[in-house]
Amino acid sequence: MGKTKHPGPMKKSKMPDPSLWVSPVPFGLGKIKPKHIRDSIKVAWENKDNLGYASRIISKGVCDGCALGVAGLYDQTLTGPHLCTTRLNVLRLNTMPAIKEEILHADIDELKKYDSTDLRKLGRIPYPLIRRKGERKFSRLTWDDAMDMIADKMKKLNPKQYAFYLTSRGITNESYYVAGKVARFLGANHIDNASRICHSPSKTALKRSIGVGASTVNYQDWIGTDVLLFWGSVASNASPVSSKYMLEAKKRGTKIIVINPYREPAMENYWIPSNVESALFGTKLADDFYQVNIGGDIAFMHGIMKYWFEMEETAHGSAINHAFVEKHVNGYEELKANVEAQNWEDIVKSSGISKERIIELAELLAKSKNAVFAWALGLTMHSFATDNISQVANLALLRGYLGRKHAGLMPFRGHSSVQGSGEMGADPFVLPGGDFYGENIERIERLWGFSLPKWQGDTVGITLENIVLPEGHERKVKLYYMSGGNFLETMPDPNFVEKALSELDIRVHQDIILNTSTLIDAKEAVIVLPAKTRYEQEGGGTSTSTERMVYFSPEIEGNKNRIEEARTEWKIYIDLAKRVNPMMAHLVDFKNADEVRAEIAKANPSYEGVQHLKKQGDVFQWGGAWLCEDGVCPTPDGKGNLIPVEIPDLGKKKGQYLLTTRRGKQFNSMVYSTKDSFNNAERYDVLMNAEDAKELRVTEGEGVVVYNGFGVFQGRAKFVDIARGNVEVHFPEGNFLLPRGRYEKYARIPDYNIVVSVEKADRFNARKDRKYLEKPIEDLETTVG
């Protein structure tokens, strides 16, 4: 049977629904909410020097913000225009002029006074720059000299001693593909990307559970499903246009349920600016919240399944879809035994959800014919993340929520084209079209015409640790080549990261703006290369959305603030290859973007069709409307696999708290406001439960210290509706509490959750002072003998 194709955008309901309104008072006056209209005016003012180009980006380009895949002002989900403040906030990166020379070439200590927000606002990198060891300022460099320096260094190094990294800053599939190919051509397998840090456990878990690491459904499947369940995701904040889909789903009877420690205001009430009804009166999004403990999701899901099996004892078929399981699923008896062995006391303690509430959700799902499960970083950024997501897949497989309309699994991606990054091979574990393993290596070698290095590349966290290995170590990383990104603000243990970055011989920052990590010293040189944005890329570029839509974004002419020396990112990689190995460089040479896309179609067979995308509006979806259609999975036997998992021990002792990091008004680590427009939280607020604070004798607004064996965070208590025993701080400010070297066991991503203690600042500091005074100083100690 052929794959069902996506039908294209569906019409919105025109009838208002007052039952979904937040308030009859227009524009949410008097409520804490985003100021969309004011923010839009502010963005227009920021872009006033290049307004025509800015409007062409919005009307013609594929959004470089979130992974919903809005092309121009339209997408494949709903008719009508879509625009959000996330996209508008990122817009200035594409339209601003170059940094003024007197600032760019100022003393490095002057530049270090700027934080990343201030550096971003200075403007774009105008030409290649270098700052050698001991130099106080960046100097201008020619492209030839810059590339020769990088190439000459690479020629002297073992390929295990250099690493590549690509961020999610609007990078296109073409750049991810060429970067992956060039890295392997140069003999290096240390290549990683931002999307793998966020969602690789989704891919790892889904591949073992259902055989494919991507969303099995579309956004349209939200609209009219019985239950849309968000797990550890603040979709309305990460991808605001998704709130439009939620509104449409609500109008068609979908129940929206959010599972999150914090009752996120953005998932409760939202004012959608591009929908007149919602802009005026707001929309109640979530029907229910389950405030699970941080790390308690596996136990919660055990509880749901445990009750399902109890229901089955009373009435066969009351909870499990036996027809689906018998035909399409392996491992039923093993999973059942594992779940039944769990006791309710452990389930309730770990999850933080009462048995009655667990039963409530279990019964709702048992009665629902359809459900879509969507999740984000709340499930993926744990040391047991793969198990988290396989447990979600277990729920879907037991109920048969797979491979059809309104039913499936969706890793909810944050940034534009992060879905494409791994599919293009910019990842230590993958090549285009499959894993870095076995027959796929041989297939790619035949296509590319050169042998691939067979050693396993390291992930970004490990390559950073490898910088400080002893001098003679073959994996001591000495050169790091970064396309965007700021490890200082995205990785755990920023103090270590700063030390590591300063110990590199050469550090290359290929980017459109400066950030705080660009200013760190290096042993030999820091080289900065000016990149073009996706909208300046000759021949256009493609990006892949969460729902596997591959969109073409054309080159957009007319940039008044054009950076003359900026270069297309994939072309810079080819230039590097030609300088390191000129005799063989014809094997990685592409004359234009069309040639890149033609090879992508061969390298990754799922992308057959990408070679035909040539103009604005061109799009195709790989895999059809639903993966695992009719329950048939791309596994060796065509069946999904139920994976028994254990409840993790988080090591939390009495009086301690579980901490996770959260995003405010920001795009990844780029902060756009010091105040969160949904809850008025400042960047150094510690979000905590009022009852917990009462036990600590902490009042709201009072100084508190959050600490553990890895770091100390000083902030102010802010009381919010969060599960007791859990606290949240903003990312990246709270990264000092996160340890390096703690990785998820399968996907090897850092753990962004940790056990902490919380104290009143006065008490903590007094205790620290007392400890300091009592600490013996060896030089002053005398021994009588």
Side-chain angles (χ1 to χ4, degrees):
M1 185 178 165
K3 288 175 180 154
T4 303
K5 290 206 164 145
H6 192 285
M10 62 194 285
K11 287 185 178 172
K12 296 195 293 278
S13 167
K14 289 184 179 166
M15 289 296 292
D17 186 348
S19 71
L20 302 177
W21 293 359
V22 175
S23 164
V25 180
F27 301 110
L29 295 173
K31 294 190 176 291
I32 298 171
K33 63 177 281 291
K35 308 282 193 300
H36 290 127
I37 296 169
R38 186 194 67 186
D39 289 350
S40 300
I41 293 167
K42 186 176 155 200
V43 166
W45 181 255
E46 281 177 349
N47 289 278
K48 65 183 184 296
D49 62 336
N50 209 353
L51 210 49
Y53 186 63
S55 64
R56 282 193 292 282
I57 286 174
I58 288 170
S59 61
K60 295 182 177 181
V62 173
C63 176
D64 56 345
C66 80
L68 295 180
V70 178
L73 287 166
Y74 302 92
D75 66 18
Q76 296 299 306
T77 305
L78 289 171
T79 54
H82 310 300
L83 187 61
C84 75
T85 48
T86 297
R87 187 177 186 187
L88 292 174
N89 283 334
V90 180
L91 183 61
R92 188 58 176 158
L93 294 176
N94 302 291
T95 67
M96 61 189 175
I99 304 170
K100 291 187 172 122
E101 290 198 6
E102 61 269 26
I103 296 173
L104 182 60
H105 299 291
D107 187 275
I108 196 68
D109 285 343
E110 289 301 309
L111 282 174
K112 284 180 179 176
K113 289 176 183 174
Y114 295 99
D115 62 19
S116 281
T117 302
D118 295 328
L119 287 168
R120 181 177 75 238
K121 289 176 179 174
L122 292 177
R124 286 179 62 179
I125 299 160
Y127 37 70
L129 299 164
I130 187 167
R131 191 166 69 87
R132 297 174 182 83
K133 181 179 168 62
E135 290 181 346
R136 302 295 310 160
K137 300 173 183 179
F138 280 111
S139 309
R140 187 169 183 168
L141 202 60
T142 66
W143 268 102
D144 278 341
D145 286 347
M147 298 308 290
D148 280 343
M149 274 191 74
I150 301 163
D152 289 347
K153 184 68 178 179
M154 282 186 167
K155 287 177 193 172
K156 292 174 188 163
L157 296 176
N158 176 332
K160 292 177 182 173
Q161 295 182 315
Y162 45 83
F164 294 88
Y165 175 83
L166 292 90
T167 187
S168 52
R169 178 220 350 103
I171 290 180
T172 57
N173 287 330
E174 290 79 358
S175 293
Y176 284 125
Y177 180 81
V178 174
K181 184 177 182 181
V182 165
R184 265 70 188 231
F185 171 78
L186 298 174
N189 277 329
H190 297 322
I191 177 163
D192 208 351
N193 68 81
S195 113
R196 206 199 55 77
I197 295 175
C198 297
H199 261 293
S200 56
S202 299
K203 186 175 172 183
T204 311
L206 290 177
K207 284 193 93 166
R208 75 177 184 178
S209 292
I210 59 168
V212 61
S215 174
T216 69
V217 283
N218 304 291
Y219 301 120
Q220 276 189 2
D221 292 306
W222 295 10
I223 302 166
T225 187
D226 298 325
V227 177
L228 172 56
L229 197 154
F230 287 102
W231 224 296
S233 166
V234 190
S236 50
N237 192 23
S239 305
V241 172
S242 69
S243 57
K244 252 186 171 172
Y245 313 154
M246 290 184 234
L247 169 58
E248 206 59 32
K250 299 273 294 200
K251 285 187 172 183
R252 297 182 195 220
T254 298
K255 259 194 163 50
I256 296 179
I257 291 172
V258 177
I259 297 168
N260 208 42
Y262 175 31
R263 192 179 176 112
E264 285 280 358
M267 290 300 283
E268 187 156 26
N269 300 321
Y270 198 87
W271 283 257
I272 304 166
S274 54
N275 178 288
V276 176
E277 178 189 2
S278 183
L280 283 170
F281 305 114
T283 300
K284 295 175 191 168
L285 295 179
D287 291 280
D288 206 351
F289 282 84
Y290 286 84
Q291 291 177 256
V292 69
N293 281 331
I294 295 162
D297 307 279
I298 285 174
F300 185 29
M301 289 183 261
H302 268 311
I304 292 169
M305 291 188 284
K306 188 173 179 68
Y307 190 70
W308 282 352
F309 291 129
E310 288 175 14
M311 289 172 70
E312 285 291 316
E313 283 175 24
T314 309
H316 183 77
S318 58
I320 307 297
N321 184 338
H322 290 286
F324 183 88
V325 168
E326 283 160 24
K327 191 175 180 184
H328 299 296
V329 180
N330 296 316
Y332 178 76
E333 291 303 331
E334 294 87 341
L335 179 79
K336 186 169 183 271
N338 174 268
V339 170
E340 289 181 335
Q342 314 294 329
N343 69 68
W344 277 109
E345 191 183 341
D346 290 344
I347 287 168
V348 169
K349 185 181 176 191
S350 177
S351 68
I353 308 287
S354 70
K355 183 178 176 181
E356 292 71 28
R357 287 281 281 153
I358 294 172
I359 289 171
E360 201 178 305
L361 183 55
E363 287 182 336
L364 173 66
L365 291 171
K367 289 170 188 165
S368 299
K369 184 187 172 191
N370 298 313
V372 173
F373 297 153
W375 66 89
L377 307 190
L379 284 193
T380 63
M381 290 196 147
H382 289 271
S383 57
F384 42 85
T386 298
D387 284 351
N388 268 345
I389 291 138
S390 278
Q391 188 83 318
V392 178
N394 288 340
L395 293 180
L397 288 169
L398 288 174
R399 290 288 306 134
Y401 296 151
L402 189 69
R404 57 190 171 82
K405 193 177 177 69
H406 295 149
L409 297 160
M410 177 179 280
F412 194 71
R413 300 275 186 173
H415 296 155
S416 182
S417 207
V418 292
Q419 180 65 40
S421 56
E423 291 164 356
M424 296 299 104
D427 177 327
F429 303 118
V430 302
L431 291 167
D435 292 338
F436 186 82
Y437 186 72
E439 200 284 320
N440 200 45
I441 293 178
E442 294 159 26
R443 183 182 69 85
I444 290 295
E445 285 180 334
R446 286 194 297 273
L447 175 67
W448 286 354
F450 57 85
S451 295
L452 303 187
K454 300 302 187 293
W455 50 275
Q456 175 58 54
D458 288 329
T459 59
V460 57
I462 295 168
T463 50
L464 287 170
E465 290 172 28
N466 287 355
I467 297 167
V468 298
L469 285 170
E471 188 53 47
H473 200 289
E474 69 161 2
R475 281 196 183 225
K476 181 178 176 66
V477 171
K478 297 187 174 186
L479 183 149
Y480 221 120
Y481 193 116
M482 289 162 271
S483 260
N486 183 354
F487 295 148
L488 271 185
E489 295 182 1
T490 52
M491 298 299 290
D493 196 351
N495 289 330
F496 169 77
V497 171
E498 183 168 5
K499 177 178 185 289
L501 292 177
S502 69
E503 290 194 17
L504 287 160
D505 288 357
I506 287 183
R507 212 173 58 248
V508 183
H509 295 266
Q510 179 174 302
D511 212 336
I512 55 178
I513 51 171
L514 298 176
N515 65 52
T516 49
S517 72
T518 327
L519 309 180
I520 296 170
D521 295 344
K523 281 184 173 176
E524 292 175 16
V526 178
I527 296 171
V528 183
L529 304 174
K532 286 190 172 182
T533 70
R534 73 160 49 167
Y535 306 117
E536 297 166 329
Q537 188 170 296
E538 297 92 341
T542 60
S543 59
T544 310
S545 75
T546 294
E547 58 182 352
R548 299 170 280 105
M549 292 278 183
V550 185
Y551 289 87
F552 180 80
S553 192
E555 180 183 358
I556 296 171
E557 303 284 352
N559 185 358
K560 280 187 184 173
N561 293 327
R562 189 164 172 260
I563 306 297
E564 294 295 334
E565 289 198 45
R567 290 189 179 178
T568 293
E569 303 217 42
W570 61 261
K571 291 189 172 184
I572 304 172
Y573 286 110
I574 292 169
D575 185 10
L576 178 64
K578 286 177 176 176
R579 291 168 197 263
V580 177
N581 188 353
M583 299 295 288
M584 301 284 286
H586 62 279
L587 295 171
V588 292
D589 198 7
F590 295 99
K591 300 290 183 287
N592 53 51
D594 284 335
E595 284 190 8
V596 181
R597 289 188 281 274
E599 189 171 291
I600 289 172
K602 293 175 187 168
N604 187 336
S606 295
Y607 275 71
E608 170 57 39
V610 72
Q611 70 273 36
H612 305 309
L613 306 183
K614 295 184 185 297
K615 63 183 190 305
Q616 183 192 337
D618 285 355
V619 59
F620 81 98
Q621 183 182 38
W622 72 257
W626 308 295
L627 299 183
C628 306
E629 190 161 358
D630 299 323
V632 180
C633 296
T635 52
D637 63 358
K639 292 185 174 186
N641 299 303
L642 293 166
I643 311 281
V645 298
E646 300 306 318
I647 295 175
D649 178 8
L650 299 173
K652 178 178 171 247
K653 297 185 177 68
K654 189 171 168 37
Q656 291 184 316
Y657 295 81
L658 291 162
L659 172 137
T660 194
T661 54
R662 74 186 298 273
R663 311 301 192 259
K665 195 173 174 70
Q666 64 195 95
F667 178 77
N668 198 5
S669 63
M670 292 193 290
V671 176
Y672 285 95
S673 173
T674 55
K675 187 172 277 191
D676 188 330
S677 50
F678 289 105
N679 63 3
N680 275 348
E682 305 270 353
R683 298 296 303 182
Y684 283 87
D685 281 350
V686 177
L687 276 53
M688 63 190 303
N689 183 290
E691 292 299 311
D692 287 337
K694 197 173 172 184
E695 284 186 1
L696 296 169
R697 295 192 169 87
V698 167
T699 57
E700 187 157 24
E702 187 177 1
V704 290
V705 176
V706 183
Y707 64 96
N708 55 21
F710 308 107
V712 176
F713 178 89
Q714 305 212 33
R716 295 195 176 277
K718 181 168 181 63
F719 299 168
V720 297
D721 190 351
I722 191 171
R724 289 204 65 178
N726 298 266
V727 294
E728 294 194 5
V729 295
H730 281 99
F731 160 99
E733 288 83 353
N735 286 6
F736 288 95
L737 295 164
L738 304 173
R740 73 177 187 275
R742 255 178 51 155
Y743 299 107
E744 202 273 346
K745 61 184 173 182
Y746 300 106
R748 309 295 294 160
I749 68 159
D751 188 354
Y752 283 81
N753 303 271
I754 195 71
V755 172
V756 296
S757 296
V758 180
E759 277 186 36
K760 284 168 77 89
D762 292 350
R763 183 173 180 275
F764 175 85
N765 291 319
R767 192 164 50 77
K768 291 291 279 187
D769 290 345
R770 189 168 68 251
K771 271 190 176 176
Y772 176 76
L773 289 169
E774 290 172 359
K775 185 179 175 187
I777 301 168
E778 284 181 19
D779 290 353
L780 301 181
E781 297 287 308
T782 55
T783 306
V784 179

